[in-house]
Amino acid sequence: MLPVKTDVMIIGAGPTGLALALTLRKAGVDCLVIDKLAAPQANSRAAVIHAHTLDVLDRIGAAAPLAAAGLHLRQFSIRDRDRAMLQMDFTAAPSPHNYLLMLPQNETERLLAEALVTAGGQVWRNCAADAVTIQPGGASVAVTTHDGRRDIAARFVVGADGMHSVVRQAAGIGYQGAANAESFILADVAMHWGLPTDDVMIFFSPDGVMVVAPLPDGRFRIVATLADAPEHPDAVLVQSILRQRGPRQGQAEVTDLAWSSRFRVQHRLADAYRKGPLLLVGDAAHVHSPAGGQGMNTGLVDAVVLGQLLVRVVAESRPDTSLDAYERLRRPAAAEVLKLAGGLTTLATLRNPLARGLRNLGLGVVNALPPARNRLLLGLSGLGRADAAQLPD
């Protein structure tokens, strides 16, 4: 039977909600996680976990299982067909996790959910949050389950429920930004690939941008801009994009399509991360371009930081004002990520030949200057925002 009272209620059991719940349960804090889906999503979606994210997940013992299950890549490059314009070696990152960890999101969620069960928690599925109301001493959440409606009282309610967050709407928090005109395709494929397989590659071309990243099962993740993309791109379409934008020498040949989808990019940031007992994490607080693979990573760091602050308030009886540090730390970090991802997307989708030439020249300059290249590495790995995950004393 779904409990009717908890200290912290988490709406949404994606990676962000699971990481938050795990942080709380490992500290002995009572929490309740609900999700409207009957089962976890089987698709891979986000696929890269960066060094700083793993450093933060290490605080709750979650980094090692993810690292053991994923593929460790050391290179990141931006290319014009066969020519690498910019190359970065992530083994130079100042972190014990000095690599790009490739792990499909469904595997990340599975491992976090298993750790949550081991810590004494669980996910309550087929439970949709319909309304959230602030009340004295906390909030009440109206939940629809297969048994009917239940009202759950919680001291704190956290929205890990995505871009259309019920919690954010209940808090009356604005979500500034806009949709990007570009649409993207995403596909996991098996293919013959003539370039190195320890490298996440971004290809810039007049036709648009394309990302090729190896996955642990021998497949590759393909992400590409495409006007009027179909809802489910097929192997023929993915093959044509690879031929138009990928390497000319040893061209890739798709042999199997495991999964594909289409999405449009939004760039949005919540005006605030908290209103009284209501708090936001992950996509409920920020969404942006997939360029640089920052979305899930930023949400996972949000989750651990917020979880540790909630532990201070709930388990250590610190004042609720301790939670104000969450927005002070994490909202500027998200704003920086939006700037990084938006900048990469703009550079990648330039159409004007002169602008593209200047962009390529600039990338060559960055590649030739170690300080500039290192700054970009710190931005992509998240290590340049490490201070935004350090809790105040």
Side-chain angles (χ1 to χ4, degrees):
M1 182 72 71
L2 187 67
V4 295
K5 186 176 182 181
T6 187
D7 285 321
V8 181
M9 183 165 182
I10 302 166
I11 301 174
T16 298
L18 291 169
L20 173 58
L22 181 58
T23 305
L24 295 170
R25 285 302 312 155
K26 286 223 166 187
V29 172
D30 178 51
C31 64
L32 175 65
V33 188
I34 67 167
D35 197 281
K36 63 184 179 182
L37 297 179
Q41 293 196 44
N43 301 327
S44 59
R45 291 163 291 153
V48 63
I49 305 179
H50 287 296
H52 173 55
T53 308
L54 291 166
D55 290 350
V56 172
L57 288 172
D58 230 0
R59 301 177 190 176
I60 58 171
L66 297 177
L71 181 65
H72 297 201
L73 304 182
R74 66 184 191 91
Q75 293 283 345
F76 174 92
S77 63
I78 298 177
R79 309 177 71 92
D80 179 2
R81 305 301 297 254
D82 300 293
R83 181 170 67 95
M85 298 181 291
L86 174 63
Q87 290 182 298
M88 286 181 289
D89 185 350
F90 273 71
T91 62
S95 163
H97 305 100
N98 56 344
Y99 48 83
L100 295 154
L101 179 67
M102 300 305 299
L103 185 67
Q105 183 176 327
N106 55 311
E107 282 297 293
T108 298
E109 291 183 12
R110 180 183 66 80
L111 291 167
L112 290 174
E114 288 177 357
L116 177 60
V117 171
T118 301
Q122 72 175 95
V123 176
W124 295 83
R125 294 199 168 274
N126 269 327
C127 297
D130 297 322
V132 181
T133 307
I134 295 176
Q135 296 184 340
S140 177
V141 182
V143 178
T144 298
T145 75
H146 63 279
D147 292 324
R149 173 175 162 144
R150 293 180 72 83
D151 293 317
I152 300 171
R155 182 174 173 185
F156 298 102
V157 177
V158 181
D161 49 346
M163 191 172 68
H164 304 290
S165 172
V166 172
V167 178
R168 190 185 64 247
Q169 293 171 18
I173 295 173
Y175 203 37
Q176 303 301 317
N180 192 298
E182 295 280 356
S183 59
F184 285 74
I185 69 159
L186 186 155
D188 289 352
V189 304
M191 66 178 179
H192 299 305
W193 182 241
L195 293 179
T197 56
D198 64 346
D199 191 346
V200 174
M201 301 179 184
I202 299 183
F203 292 86
F204 288 174
S205 88
D207 296 309
V209 65
M210 178 180 70
V211 179
V212 178
L215 294 174
D217 60 1
R219 295 180 184 273
F220 291 81
R221 163 63 54 84
I222 311 293
V223 182
T225 54
L226 186 67
D228 300 320
E231 184 175 357
H232 297 291
D234 61 18
V236 173
L237 176 59
V238 175
Q239 180 71 71
S240 70
I241 292 172
L242 283 161
R243 291 194 185 280
Q244 291 167 0
R245 307 179 193 183
R248 291 186 175 90
Q249 297 180 0
Q251 284 194 344
E253 180 184 351
V254 175
T255 58
D256 181 57
L257 176 70
W259 172 74
S260 68
S261 186
R262 168 191 70 189
F263 62 94
R264 292 190 181 276
V265 170
Q266 301 263 353
H267 286 262
R268 297 185 184 275
L269 179 63
D271 293 342
Y273 277 24
R274 177 187 174 213
K275 181 178 180 181
L278 309 184
L279 300 115
L280 307 175
V281 292
D283 288 357
H286 47 77
V287 293
H288 46 77
S289 161
Q294 301 296 316
M296 182 181 71
N297 284 271
T298 307
L300 287 169
V301 177
D302 288 347
V304 176
V305 170
L306 176 57
Q308 291 181 312
L309 289 169
L310 284 166
V311 168
R312 290 181 174 186
V313 173
V314 176
E316 300 173 12
S317 300
R318 298 199 191 187
D320 288 9
T321 52
S322 299
L323 295 174
D324 293 342
Y326 172 57
E327 181 176 323
R328 286 201 307 270
L329 289 168
R330 299 306 304 158
R331 192 173 183 276
E336 188 175 327
V337 167
L338 261 73
K339 184 178 180 181
L340 173 65
L344 287 172
T345 301
T346 298
L347 285 175
T349 54
L350 289 174
R351 302 296 188 192
N352 182 276
L354 176 60
R356 291 199 307 271
L358 292 172
R359 173 200 65 195
N360 295 353
L361 180 63
L363 289 171
V365 171
V366 171
N367 193 57
L369 296 174
R373 194 171 62 242
N374 186 61
R375 182 178 178 183
L376 180 56
L377 185 150
L378 292 176
L380 289 170
S381 67
L383 294 167
R385 298 180 293 279
D387 287 349
Q390 295 298 323
L391 272 64
D393 294 332

